[in-house]
Amino acid sequence: MARPLTDQEKRRQISLRGIPDLENVHELIKGFNRHLHFTLVKDRNIATPRDYYSALAHTVRDHLVGRWIRTQQFYYESDPKRVYYLSLEFYMGRTLQNTMVNLGVQNTCDEAMYQLGLDIEELEEIEEDAGLGNGGLGRLAACFLDSMATLGLAAYGYGIRYEYGIFNQKIRDGCQVEEADDWLRYGNPWEKSRPEFMLPVHFYGRVQETKEGSKWVDTQVVLAMPYDTPIPGYQNNTVNTMRLWSARAPNDFNLKDFNVGDYIQAVLDRNLAENISRVLYPNDNFFEGKELRLKQEYFVVAATLQDIIRRFKTSKSGSPSNKKHLCLLQVAVQLNDTHPAMAIPELMRIFVDIEKLDWDVAWDLTRRTFAYTNHTVLPEALERWPIKLMETLLPRHLQIIYQINQKHLDNIAALFPDDMDKLRAMSLIEEDGEKRVNMAHLCIVGSHAVNGVAEIHSNIIKTQVFRNFSDLEPGKFQNKTNGITPRRWLLVCNTGLVDVIAEHHESQTGSYEMTCFYLKYIENKLKFAQYLEKEYNVKINPGSIFDVHVKRIHEYKRQVLNCLHIIHLYNQIRMKPNAPFTPRTVIIGGKAAPGYHMAKMIIKLITSVGDVINNDPVVGDKLKVIFLENYRVSLAEKVIPATDLSEQISTAGTEASGTGNMKFMLNGALTIGTLDGANVEMAEEAGKENMFIFGMTVDEVQEMDKEGYDAMSYYEKLPELKQVMDQITSGFFSLKQPHLFKDITDMLFKYDRFKVFADFEAYVKCQERVSKLFQDPIEWSKMVLRNIAATGKFSSDRTITEYARDIWGVEPSNIKIPPPSEPLRYFDKLNGLSSF
Ligand SMILES: *Cc1c(COP(=O)(O)O)cnc(C)c1O
């Protein structure tokens, strides 16, 4: 009998990716050796695995360069409307494998590395994640870049090149410990600095009124250095640009004024300016009004708008010979949440103070340019910057915001005379307590389109959170249900499933196909189990339900509800050790914001419960609880394809969309979830009967808010819940510190905004249905297939097509740029100009 194939051999066999051309393999090996020699200055005697990774990355990058330059030349020549996606976060993860897949050179690379005796999967593991994001919002931006390139849009991502991305999470004694993410330590082969496009950004200073208008003077200058990363579309020869700014002190920093004479101190103080791009703020769905964060937000906005205008002015439609100059701003700017909201007053400042446009003309242009995506309705997440801070840091912008507000309130007063409550509710300036700028209101007023990220969320912002604004301009509010890129989240991360789909896409869902599916899952599960054993020395039962709950740790995401269910299962096992039980491995992972005490306690609760359950001989391998350390994009790519059951259990009305839910669905997990965010649309697409839906609806949650939520009544009514809570309260899971979880239990009993107890019973019952169905692999697999077949809507290609049509006024391009091996038919007269 033949021995089983290794992973690497299997990868080489995958027919879908074509047979590698031997000549290309030879060329690739040549390129690889050249980079090992000339770029890394190594030979194969002393090269480390990281050197091999770098040599491969540089070789693959070489394949991008020609396409990248030509795409930008093509944009210059055809001069389409440009789309700018502004975001404080781009959660890109790794780049190598995604680039190989999008360029269609994966097979060639696999074969080349095989011939060199190198394990390509091992090399891929060496790459650091680009962790420039917290969670869903940042990952959405990354998926959108992939889709915009795939659809051939002339699009750019603009953000900050944080020197330290999202922290690395270590678990020590069951608690989260943060470590700095020094992701650039070994260099980054995917970026190219562009010092020639460095731009000044101003802070502080004062406003001088002159005959020619307002002037912002006596400012401190920080320089913004751009770093470009190529964004390849899927096998269409398009390569777009993500441009990230890094803060640099000017060379005369602190030498001119107050540090005169102290040269050494002045050089040391350059750090102060460069701190702006030092580190990503690790909050997800939470606003922390720190000055350095406001500096970051303005820094990216100021540098980006200068760059946009520079590119526009050097474009054909913006050239001085064209009289329409500026009045035909061929630009759409999408604001990813309110984080880049200062772009609105900044563009007004440029138009009014520098370009000397009339205010009303400037305002009209500004509103046509911007569109705003809202990502949350949680009040603690809404940005409200103190006036005092803004007055010091950006005095001219505050003036402009006041002026925008004046005209805005005048409009409302004209429509609703004497309605002071309405004026107060809709003002950009909040006057109760510390005076603040409401950034969401600024974005709504300064944009021509505002969108939520799932139907249910868009309805909530329209009819509740921003009701006054949508009454005023109903056409402005839209829905754009989020999506994920099927390249990274299927082609790259789940080759096994891609294979089965490719082989069986035309056949019926008979039991033979079901068996094939089932076997693929077992394979993914085995691979993940091996990974856990190798990396963390934990053994899990691959025949158990892999019940996975991975996302940022947050009260509204209700990891605690999951935890209560785990304890309940444990109690059932202990009560009847010999009763039949569907084995489960519950895997929970996610980072807590370092300053979020409750979230950190939730991690400690999960690990403590795990310590008891995993070491109880009565339990055996019926139930295991794993806290998955350092959840991030590259780990999501491993755990999601191995998942049977996806946990999406937020309180209805709190999760704007979710995108993790879609990744699991696409990879063949079944969902247990509430009717929240995009879960609602997933159930519409796949059929409610193919998901495990439980718990209160948004209406029922709001009804309960009116009547008052009484946690104690559930505790008294539900003996199973009572037992679970009594165990936590009595210190059963924290023998050395019986009161360790008092903050959690107090929250649950006294001020739980997310009503965990109210959904406990329904959740437990629903989980019982899950356990029962898992006993029937054929029925389970059928349900999986009906889910996978219904995932089409959740491709970010669909999402971006809608943004393009309904908000940006651009169309996906069906012109395919020829590959570098073919001549550029588009250029009659190649003038060498490009629009970088
Ligand atoms: C997709 C993704 C998220 C978002 O998950 P949700 O369940 O929608 O909150 C967060 N983190 C990572 C690493 C992701 O890949």
mmCIF file of all heavy atoms in Angstrom, residues 121-135:
data_model
loop_
_atom_site.group_PDB
_atom_site.id
_atom_site.type_symbol
_atom_site.label_atom_id
_atom_site.label_comp_id
_atom_site.label_asym_id
_atom_site.label_seq_id
_atom_site.Cartn_x
_atom_site.Cartn_y
_atom_site.Cartn_z
ATOM 1 N N GLU A 121 5.126 25.471 3.524
ATOM 2 C CA GLU A 121 4.209 25.814 4.628
ATOM 3 C C GLU A 121 4.995 26.275 5.853
ATOM 4 O O GLU A 121 4.556 27.160 6.584
ATOM 5 C CB GLU A 121 3.314 24.628 4.983
ATOM 6 C CG GLU A 121 2.236 24.396 3.928
ATOM 7 C CD GLU A 121 1.119 23.461 4.395
ATOM 8 O OE1 GLU A 121 0.768 23.490 5.587
ATOM 9 O OE2 GLU A 121 0.614 22.712 3.553
ATOM 10 N N GLU A 122 6.154 25.659 6.053
ATOM 11 C CA GLU A 122 7.007 26.058 7.170
ATOM 12 C C GLU A 122 7.508 27.493 6.954
ATOM 13 O O GLU A 122 7.551 28.303 7.876
ATOM 14 C CB GLU A 122 8.185 25.094 7.251
ATOM 15 C CG GLU A 122 8.886 25.035 8.574
ATOM 16 C CD GLU A 122 9.979 23.960 8.536
ATOM 17 O OE1 GLU A 122 9.636 22.756 8.523
ATOM 18 O OE2 GLU A 122 11.154 24.361 8.483
ATOM 19 N N LEU A 123 7.869 27.819 5.707
ATOM 20 C CA LEU A 123 8.345 29.177 5.409
ATOM 21 C C LEU A 123 7.218 30.189 5.605
ATOM 22 O O LEU A 123 7.421 31.267 6.167
ATOM 23 C CB LEU A 123 8.882 29.265 3.980
ATOM 24 C CG LEU A 123 10.032 28.321 3.609
ATOM 25 C CD1 LEU A 123 10.589 28.681 2.234
ATOM 26 C CD2 LEU A 123 11.150 28.378 4.658
ATOM 27 N N GLU A 124 6.007 29.831 5.165
ATOM 28 C CA GLU A 124 4.866 30.748 5.317
ATOM 29 C C GLU A 124 4.618 31.089 6.779
ATOM 30 O O GLU A 124 4.205 32.198 7.110
ATOM 31 C CB GLU A 124 3.605 30.127 4.698
ATOM 32 C CG GLU A 124 3.616 30.122 3.173
ATOM 33 C CD GLU A 124 2.591 29.164 2.561
ATOM 34 O OE1 GLU A 124 1.842 28.494 3.313
ATOM 35 O OE2 GLU A 124 2.541 29.081 1.323
ATOM 36 N N GLU A 125 4.876 30.112 7.657
ATOM 37 C CA GLU A 125 4.638 30.317 9.087
ATOM 38 C C GLU A 125 5.594 31.336 9.704
ATOM 39 O O GLU A 125 5.353 31.832 10.802
ATOM 40 C CB GLU A 125 4.787 28.986 9.836
ATOM 41 C CG GLU A 125 3.577 28.094 9.732
ATOM 42 C CD GLU A 125 2.338 28.744 10.341
ATOM 43 O OE1 GLU A 125 2.374 29.070 11.531
ATOM 44 O OE2 GLU A 125 1.355 28.946 9.607
ATOM 45 N N ILE A 126 6.689 31.619 9.022
ATOM 46 C CA ILE A 126 7.672 32.552 9.576
ATOM 47 C C ILE A 126 7.201 34.003 9.439
ATOM 48 O O ILE A 126 7.561 34.862 10.235
ATOM 49 C CB ILE A 126 9.038 32.334 8.878
ATOM 50 C CG1 ILE A 126 9.587 30.959 9.288
ATOM 51 C CG2 ILE A 126 10.044 33.446 9.219
ATOM 52 C CD1 ILE A 126 10.751 30.482 8.450
ATOM 53 N N GLU A 127 6.354 34.259 8.460
ATOM 54 C CA GLU A 127 5.919 35.643 8.224
ATOM 55 C C GLU A 127 5.132 36.175 9.414
ATOM 56 O O GLU A 127 4.241 35.523 9.945
ATOM 57 C CB GLU A 127 5.050 35.720 6.953
ATOM 58 C CG GLU A 127 4.609 37.146 6.642
ATOM 59 C CD GLU A 127 3.872 37.311 5.310
ATOM 60 O OE1 GLU A 127 3.698 36.307 4.575
ATOM 61 O OE2 GLU A 127 3.478 38.439 5.025
ATOM 62 N N GLU A 128 5.451 37.399 9.837
ATOM 63 C CA GLU A 128 4.693 38.088 10.878
ATOM 64 C C GLU A 128 3.367 38.553 10.283
ATOM 65 O O GLU A 128 3.314 38.971 9.131
ATOM 66 C CB GLU A 128 5.456 39.343 11.342
ATOM 67 C CG GLU A 128 6.779 39.086 12.018
ATOM 68 C CD GLU A 128 6.631 38.862 13.519
ATOM 69 O OE1 GLU A 128 5.535 39.125 14.059
ATOM 70 O OE2 GLU A 128 7.617 38.420 14.128
ATOM 71 N N ASP A 129 2.299 38.520 11.094
ATOM 72 C CA ASP A 129 1.059 39.171 10.675
ATOM 73 C C ASP A 129 1.280 40.679 10.648
ATOM 74 O O ASP A 129 1.956 41.221 11.527
ATOM 75 C CB ASP A 129 -0.060 38.911 11.687
ATOM 76 C CG ASP A 129 -0.717 37.550 11.512
ATOM 77 O OD1 ASP A 129 -0.012 36.583 11.191
ATOM 78 O OD2 ASP A 129 -1.943 37.472 11.718
ATOM 79 N N ALA A 130 0.712 41.356 9.642
ATOM 80 C CA ALA A 130 0.585 42.811 9.736
ATOM 81 C C ALA A 130 -0.670 43.053 10.568
ATOM 82 O O ALA A 130 -1.786 43.027 10.058
ATOM 83 C CB ALA A 130 0.478 43.440 8.354
ATOM 84 N N GLY A 131 -0.476 43.257 11.865
ATOM 85 C CA GLY A 131 -1.603 43.339 12.804
ATOM 86 C C GLY A 131 -2.018 44.771 13.062
ATOM 87 O O GLY A 131 -2.124 45.190 14.207
ATOM 88 N N LEU A 132 -2.249 45.525 12.000
ATOM 89 C CA LEU A 132 -2.542 46.948 12.163
ATOM 90 C C LEU A 132 -4.039 47.180 12.354
ATOM 91 O O LEU A 132 -4.626 48.105 11.784
ATOM 92 C CB LEU A 132 -2.010 47.731 10.956
ATOM 93 C CG LEU A 132 -0.534 47.451 10.606
ATOM 94 C CD1 LEU A 132 -0.071 48.376 9.492
ATOM 95 C CD2 LEU A 132 0.364 47.607 11.832
ATOM 96 N N GLY A 133 -4.650 46.323 13.153
ATOM 97 C CA GLY A 133 -6.080 46.451 13.419
ATOM 98 C C GLY A 133 -6.445 45.705 14.681
ATOM 99 O O GLY A 133 -5.661 44.892 15.193
ATOM 100 N N ASN A 134 -7.651 45.996 15.173
ATOM 101 C CA ASN A 134 -8.131 45.376 16.406
ATOM 102 C C ASN A 134 -8.981 44.148 16.165
ATOM 103 O O ASN A 134 -8.874 43.163 16.890
ATOM 104 C CB ASN A 134 -8.959 46.395 17.196
ATOM 105 C CG ASN A 134 -8.097 47.301 18.038
ATOM 106 O OD1 ASN A 134 -7.586 46.880 19.077
ATOM 107 N ND2 ASN A 134 -7.907 48.527 17.590
ATOM 108 N N GLY A 135 -9.863 44.225 15.175
ATOM 109 C CA GLY A 135 -10.812 43.141 14.955
ATOM 110 C C GLY A 135 -11.556 43.361 13.654
ATOM 111 O O GLY A 135 -10.931 43.681 12.626
#
